[in-house]
Each structure stands twice: as structure tokens, then as C-alpha cells.
Amino acid sequence: MLVKIATAPKELEAVYQIRTEVFVEEQNVPPEREIDEFDKTATHFIAYEDELPVAAARLRFTEDGYGKLERICVLKSQRGKSLGKKLMIKMEEEIKNRDFHKAKLNAQTHAQDFYRKLGYEVTSGEFLDAGIPHVTMVKYL
């Protein structure tokens, strides 16, 4: 498996396709909520399995010193293969490479244990985002 920063137009197209399949088609997030104004400036990541794009995410940096991990998703057919973990590790490496030492994400509540196993701690109460229950989680790198 290869995880990399998506820079080429074909890679970015695959990122958006994966996100659309997971969030819009599978989880019923409205398309206008999925692709937003932050996509133009975010750093996008893509994961390949046997040269096929199978997972994606984006990373932004906040004024309060966090690398904010967002839109983390793995195609349904590829889940359970540790692709999400490998994607997270690559994103955390990029956060450290940019001299940030804190990571933050808004996790869907059903995924809390996944992030907890990677060292993230819940720092908020439950809230709805696109009608889906979430919590904020942080990790010091």
C-alpha cells in the first residue's frame, strides 16, 4: 500500500471520488457540505492498494497550532485492512514535518475507538455534523 500527498489532478479527482462515495453516497452527507471552501487550500492525501485509489483524507493547519485531520475515509470494500491507520500515520508525519505538535479531528462517534487506539483523546461532548454524531479528539505528537 502507498499513501501520499495528492498533488496531480488525477490524484485529486480520485480523492474527491472516494469522499463522494463514502460520505455522500454511503452516509448521505449533502454534496454541498462534503466539498467546501477549505478543499482549495488543504493538503490532500490518497492511499493506493495495488495501484487503485482506496482511501483519502485532508489536512489543514489551524491558527491555534493544530494539524486538523479531516474527511478521513476508506472505501467500504477496503475496510479492515489497516488502511485508515496508515493514512493517519502519514498525516501525522506531515504535521510534524511542518513543525506542529498537536493533531485534532472531529470523529464520528462510531469511530472513536479506532482513533483512541491511535492515541487520540475525546475533548468535547457529542455534537451533530451533517446529521451524524461526532466528538472532537486530540493527540500530542
Side-chain angles (χ1 to χ4, degrees):
M1 187 188 104
L2 169 69
V3 178
K4 64 178 289 209
I5 293 175
T7 54
K10 184 177 180 181
E11 293 170 334
L12 291 169
E13 184 179 311
V15 164
Y16 295 131
Q17 179 55 44
I18 292 167
R19 285 173 43 188
T20 297
E21 188 171 327
V22 172
F23 295 120
V24 177
E25 296 171 11
E26 185 181 330
Q27 298 183 355
N28 298 311
V29 172
E32 61 276 7
R33 295 271 326 259
E34 175 48 34
I35 306 299
D36 64 22
E37 70 274 14
F38 299 118
D39 281 311
K40 291 181 176 134
T41 56
T43 301
H44 297 274
F45 290 78
I46 189 158
Y48 293 92
E49 184 72 40
D50 297 326
E51 299 183 28
L52 293 173
V54 294
R58 78 176 184 193
L59 175 63
R60 295 189 303 120
F61 293 90
T62 65
E63 291 182 10
D64 58 349
Y66 285 91
K68 190 161 189 262
L69 297 82
E70 301 176 321
R71 307 300 202 266
I72 302 158
C73 57
V74 177
L75 292 177
K76 193 173 192 173
S77 64
Q78 301 297 313
R79 293 180 194 152
K81 299 180 180 182
S82 297
L83 300 174
K85 180 179 179 180
K86 292 174 184 171
L87 191 59
M88 294 289 293
I89 290 168
K90 187 73 168 179
M91 294 173 75
E92 289 174 358
E93 287 173 3
E94 183 64 17
I95 292 170
K96 290 187 276 189
N97 287 344
R98 297 211 195 169
D99 231 11
F100 284 73
H101 304 286
K102 300 182 289 185
K104 175 169 47 174
L105 56 85
N106 291 332
Q108 293 183 7
T109 54
H110 71 83
Q112 284 181 80
D113 287 341
F114 168 76
Y115 296 114
R116 205 174 269 121
K117 288 175 186 171
L118 295 175
Y120 287 80
E121 295 180 9
V122 174
T123 60
S124 78
E126 189 174 301
F127 60 93
L128 291 179
D129 185 5
I132 301 168
H134 284 73
V135 291
T136 299
M137 302 182 81
V138 298
K139 177 180 178 179
Y140 293 91
L141 306 173

